[in-house]
Amino acid sequence: MVSSARRPTQEDVARRAGVSRGTVSLVLNDRRGRVLISAATREKVVAAARDLGYSPNPVAQMLARGRNRIIGFFTFEQTFPYGEEDFHHRYLVGVEREACSRDFDLLLFTRGGGEGPKAIYRSGMNTLRLADGCIFIGTDPDPEGLQRLLAEGYPFVLIGRTRIAPDALDTVVHDHAGGAAEAARHLLGLGHRAIAVALQSQDTEFIRERVEGCRRAVAEAGDARLSLIESCPGAAELKAALLSHGATALICADRRILPAVRALVAEGEVRVPDELSVALLATAGPEFGMPVSHVDLNRARLGRIAFERVSARIEGRLSGFARISVPCQFVAGATTGPAPRRLSGAAAGGRRSRG
Amino acid sequence: MVSSARRPTQEDVARRAGVSRGTVSLVLNDRRGRVLISAATREKVVAAARDLGYSPNPVAQMLARGRNRIIGFFTFEQTFPYGEEDFHHRYLVGVEREACSRDFDLLLFTRGGGEGPKAIYRSGMNTLRLADGCIFIGTDPDPEGLQRLLAEGYPFVLIGRTRIAPDALDTVVHDHAGGAAEAARHLLGLGHRAIAVALQSQDTEFIRERVEGCRRAVAEAGDARLSLIESCPGAAELKAALLSHGATALICADRRILPAVRALVAEGEVRVPDELSVALLATAGPEFGMPVSHVDLNRARLGRIAFERVSARIEGRLSGFARISVPCQFVAGATTGPAPRRLSGAAAGGRRSRG
DNA sequence: CTGAAAGCGCTTACAG
DNA sequence: CTGAAAGCGCTTACAG
């Protein structure tokens, strides 16, 4: 069924044009300046290529040239960041955009998903080399694999944290602490003096950084205090904790506590922002029914920056390594407002549940 | 700066293990059944590869094997379908998912964006061959390029319409007519007998198909009538048209008229669905403030189907070509309800503007 | 069971 | 200005 007429090769073109293969390559790649080719020869070659419907085999070109104008995108999670649902996807959007404008194709390493966390070297081998450089992303970054790439001099950048020393490779990370500090300062500016930070667990580094950022901002203010509400499973516990701390503002440092916060608000236990200001240290979805004051992670931007970095390295425009910390902007929404004169009791008749 | 220690090649491994290059290839690719290799030799080779940190060059493998386990994704629009904003992106999500589960990598042809509609053969050449097969998508599908690929026997599938004969290539398309008919039947089932279809222009084929689908369903009902409202620029004109047709239900065949419909609803000129039922023949966004009755285009599914098709062809599991029409499901939302007893005047005191 | 050799389709010095 | 040749790093019949 498939027309198995072999594709024409450079050889065929050369034969038809009556020149050598090298000449075909020279003409078709338009290597002016290097060698001069007579207009007559040039035309013969171009005509032969056209007649034959010739187009070069990119794989052969890649092998001969050693450069492909392809950037890889690799995620360490088991599955590829499919849809909008997956936040990894936002990075990819930025990477795509940059690839487009810099005239690179993009290779998504979708293979090998589903079989546990992906390793860079599958069964000891490496598919990566197809790409001139690669952007890695993920929360479990296979340090051995990265080290090996480093040793080989393979150009790559990691979006995320790793235990490898920051000056030994290129990474791009969010300035979570800075974003958190901004959020806290916004609340301080609104007059809040008792601020609570709620989170499910300090198990990940970026959450610890966010807490640290809040601490810093509150400490700078001097006259305010910060309290930590950790691992609160439900709305009732959260409310009790807020009451006991006398907090007028709540910073959510962790997406995982959002359900509790939403429940608290939805049940009408507390009026936002009149009784309680709420800020989120991550990109906000539409879940709250009103624009949420939040820190914009702008993942697409990180993707762009990562691309810029890896392409610079490929082109030899870079010498050392660096950790690039990208500022996170705070966006004031409708969930934060001036501090109430005094703690209004959060809700009349609230149950006095204790830890 | 970059460690320029040449990567070890098969040759290096062979030398170290004291065997020939062919043997290294055999061992490392674990070609059992073909040739038997002694356990001792095998171990020598594996050890040498490990010691040297050898991994095969995928480009060389591709050139030698002629197959890459890569599928391409090519869009004809100037720019790559960046973000969620772009509806092309939904297809990509399905393609990614399928690539993952079938163990293919995915090559996004992001190059060449921005310089007018993209052609398959850039300056007469063809980068495509890097992928074993390709999924094309777009509304302006470069028929010459596709024809040429067809002639070469290159495996691909087009998501979308083309003027090439449907049995000459693989395409995957929405059954717009079927989805529209379902929407119309839903309204007929609710008792509506005067239904209007609104659209900005019949300039694209899929819009004509949607209109046709509505026509078919209404004709089947026998006792109902369908009227067409075309190119209505504003809410006032739309309302006037609805009144003049005595329509109790409005089918939006074209996203471009949504602003007018939204304006009509937002201004309180008409109560939905009490006075007017509204159905949309495309995937609905959150713009209406309530769940919109609509036809679900399920683009990710089309992406999956396209992938399935092209991979089947690559593996030789296919003989002829086909146009695959994917059903579109109608989803009842809150914007459609029982037909009012009689036309309630759409709104009291409406201005009697005439076309 | 293993080695020597041809081949995949290009690019690029190097001679003429 | 052009040709012959080596090389990119692998795979795969084909002899032994």
Side-chain angles (χ1 to χ4, degrees):
Chain A
M1 189 97 280
V2 162
S3 107
S4 48
R6 190 175 55 78
R7 295 182 76 210
T9 70
Q10 205 175 63
E11 175 97 50
D12 300 317
V13 177
R15 197 162 26 223
R16 184 177 239 264
V19 301
S20 74
R21 289 170 40 207
T23 306
V24 175
S25 175
L26 254 23
V27 170
L28 262 27
N29 290 310
D30 203 21
R31 286 261 171 286
R32 304 191 190 239
R34 318 286 301 139
V35 195
L36 289 196
I37 305 256
S38 71
T41 307
R42 177 182 308 283
E43 263 171 41
K44 274 193 301 183
V45 171
V46 169
R50 182 172 18 74
D51 296 349
L52 256 31
Y54 170 77
S55 60
N57 179 332
V59 177
Q61 288 183 312
M62 282 165 48
L63 185 60
R65 289 179 183 158
R67 189 137 309 172
N68 317 342
R69 288 207 83 76
I70 295 177
I71 297 284
F73 186 84
F74 187 103
T75 160
F76 290 99
E77 321 304 321
Q78 285 91 325
T79 54
F80 200 78
Y82 294 138
E84 289 75 293
E85 316 82 59
D86 192 307
F87 73 94
H88 274 185
H89 200 271
R90 298 297 316 171
Y91 297 104
L92 182 55
V93 166
V95 171
E96 284 171 358
R97 182 167 283 137
E98 201 64 18
C100 224
S101 78
R102 287 176 183 273
D103 204 38
F104 270 88
D105 286 325
L106 208 56
L107 184 60
L108 308 187
F109 291 101
T110 31
R111 289 177 66 178
E115 339 156 330
K118 295 200 299 189
I120 297 175
Y121 290 84
R122 299 184 206 151
S123 47
M125 299 302 130
N126 166 14
T127 334
L128 225 54
R129 289 277 163 177
L130 232 179
D132 297 330
C134 189
I135 296 172
F136 291 95
I137 184 167
T139 51
D140 182 17
D142 180 13
E144 291 75 25
L146 294 181
Q147 292 277 22
R148 190 164 158 185
L149 290 178
L150 242 24
E152 287 179 4
Y154 182 77
F156 73 90
V157 50
L158 170 68
I159 299 181
R161 321 272 165 166
T162 172
R163 36 184 209 264
I164 301 174
D167 59 346
L169 81 172
D170 282 322
T171 55
V172 177
V173 296
H174 281 113
D175 179 10
H176 289 289
E182 261 210 69
R185 277 186 213 110
H186 170 250
L187 291 168
L188 292 165
L190 287 168
H192 296 272
R193 283 301 168 269
I195 300 177
V197 176
L199 47 88
Q200 188 70 263
S201 158
Q202 301 216 33
D203 50 2
T204 48
E205 188 180 345
F206 71 83
I207 293 195
R208 292 191 290 271
E209 288 179 23
R210 289 173 182 172
V211 172
E212 196 43 47
C214 295
R215 281 225 174 83
R216 200 171 63 207
V218 170
E220 280 166 13
D223 61 341
R225 72 172 197 280
L226 189 77
S227 45
L228 219 67
I229 305 182
E230 221 168 321
S231 67
C232 48
E237 288 79 359
L238 180 57
K239 183 180 155 196
L242 286 170
L243 274 175
S244 81
H245 292 120
T248 61
L250 172 64
I251 296 179
C252 307
D254 185 336
R255 290 202 77 83
R256 290 171 295 181
I257 62 141
L258 279 183
V261 178
R262 265 201 306 271
L264 195 66
V265 175
E267 287 164 12
E269 296 274 319
V270 59
R271 296 202 319 274
V272 173
D274 300 340
E275 297 174 329
L276 184 74
S277 284
V278 175
L280 174 61
L281 301 188
T283 304
E287 314 97 330
F288 256 89
M290 62 180 123
V292 179
S293 298
H294 70 281
V295 170
D296 183 4
L297 261 21
N298 204 343
R299 297 190 170 95
R301 187 167 163 224
L302 263 75
R304 289 232 291 276
I305 292 174
F307 192 105
E308 207 289 313
R309 187 84 186 166
V310 72
S311 72
R313 186 163 302 281
I314 288 171
E315 290 160 14
R317 294 190 272 115
L318 239 48
S319 53
F321 294 104
R323 166 163 161 161
I324 302 178
S325 183
V326 183
C328 304
Q329 211 186 349
F330 177 76
V331 180
T335 56
T336 46
R341 305 298 294 244
R342 50 175 168 70
L343 181 62
S344 66
R351 351 169 199 148
R352 293 233 142 233
S353 63
R354 305 191 48 218
Chain B
M1 188 98 282
V2 162
S3 107
S4 50
R6 189 177 55 81
R7 294 183 76 209
T9 71
Q10 206 175 60
E11 176 98 47
D12 301 316
V13 177
R15 198 163 25 228
R16 183 175 239 262
V19 300
S20 76
R21 288 172 41 210
T23 306
V24 173
S25 175
L26 255 22
V27 170
L28 261 27
N29 289 311
D30 202 20
R31 286 262 172 285
R32 304 197 190 235
R34 319 285 302 139
V35 196
L36 289 195
I37 305 257
S38 71
T41 307
R42 177 181 309 282
E43 262 171 39
K44 272 192 304 186
V45 171
V46 169
R50 183 174 15 77
D51 295 350
L52 257 32
Y54 170 77
S55 59
N57 180 331
V59 177
Q61 288 183 312
M62 283 165 47
L63 184 59
R65 290 178 183 160
R67 187 133 314 168
N68 317 342
R69 287 208 83 76
I70 294 177
I71 297 286
F73 186 85
F74 187 102
T75 162
F76 291 98
E77 321 303 324
Q78 286 90 324
T79 54
F80 200 78
Y82 293 140
E84 289 76 290
E85 315 83 60
D86 192 308
F87 73 93
H88 273 184
H89 201 270
R90 298 297 315 170
Y91 296 103
L92 182 56
V93 167
V95 171
E96 285 172 355
R97 183 167 281 138
E98 201 63 16
C100 223
S101 77
R102 288 178 183 273
D103 205 37
F104 271 88
D105 286 324
L106 208 57
L107 184 59
L108 308 187
F109 291 101
T110 30
R111 291 175 65 176
E115 336 155 333
K118 294 199 301 188
I120 297 175
Y121 291 84
R122 301 187 203 145
S123 47
M125 300 299 130
N126 165 14
T127 334
L128 225 53
R129 289 278 164 176
L130 231 178
D132 298 329
C134 190
I135 295 171
F136 291 95
I137 184 166
T139 51
D140 182 18
D142 181 15
E144 292 73 24
L146 294 180
Q147 294 276 21
R148 189 163 159 186
L149 290 178
L150 243 23
E152 288 179 3
Y154 182 77
F156 72 90
V157 50
L158 170 67
I159 297 180
R161 322 271 165 168
T162 173
R163 39 185 206 264
I164 302 175
D167 59 347
L169 81 171
D170 283 321
T171 54
V172 177
V173 296
H174 282 113
D175 179 10
H176 288 289
E182 261 210 70
R185 277 187 213 110
H186 171 251
L187 291 168
L188 291 165
L190 286 168
H192 296 272
R193 283 300 168 270
I195 301 177
V197 176
L199 46 87
Q200 190 71 263
S201 159
Q202 301 216 32
D203 50 1
T204 47
E205 188 180 344
F206 70 84
I207 293 195
R208 292 191 291 272
E209 287 179 24
R210 289 172 182 172
V211 172
E212 197 42 45
C214 296
R215 281 225 174 82
R216 199 169 66 206
V218 169
E220 279 166 13
D223 60 340
R225 71 174 198 279
L226 189 78
S227 44
L228 221 67
I229 305 181
E230 223 169 320
S231 68
C232 48
E237 287 78 0
L238 180 58
K239 183 181 156 194
L242 285 170
L243 274 174
S244 80
H245 291 121
T248 61
L250 172 65
I251 296 180
C252 307
D254 187 333
R255 290 202 76 84
R256 290 171 294 181
I257 61 142
L258 279 184
V261 178
R262 264 201 306 270
L264 195 65
V265 174
E267 287 164 12
E269 295 276 318
V270 57
R271 295 202 320 275
V272 174
D274 298 341
E275 297 174 330
L276 183 74
S277 283
V278 175
L280 174 60
L281 300 188
T283 303
E287 314 98 330
F288 256 89
M290 62 180 122
V292 178
S293 298
H294 70 282
V295 169
D296 183 4
L297 261 20
N298 203 344
R299 296 190 170 96
R301 188 168 162 223
L302 262 75
R304 289 233 291 275
I305 292 173
F307 192 103
E308 208 288 314
R309 187 84 187 166
V310 72
S311 71
R313 187 165 301 282
I314 288 171
E315 290 160 14
R317 296 189 271 114
L318 240 47
S319 52
F321 293 105
R323 167 163 159 161
I324 302 177
S325 183
V326 183
C328 305
Q329 211 185 350
F330 177 77
V331 180
T335 56
T336 46
R341 304 297 296 243
R342 48 176 171 68
L343 181 61
S344 65
R351 348 166 202 153
R352 295 233 141 232
S353 62
R354 305 190 47 218

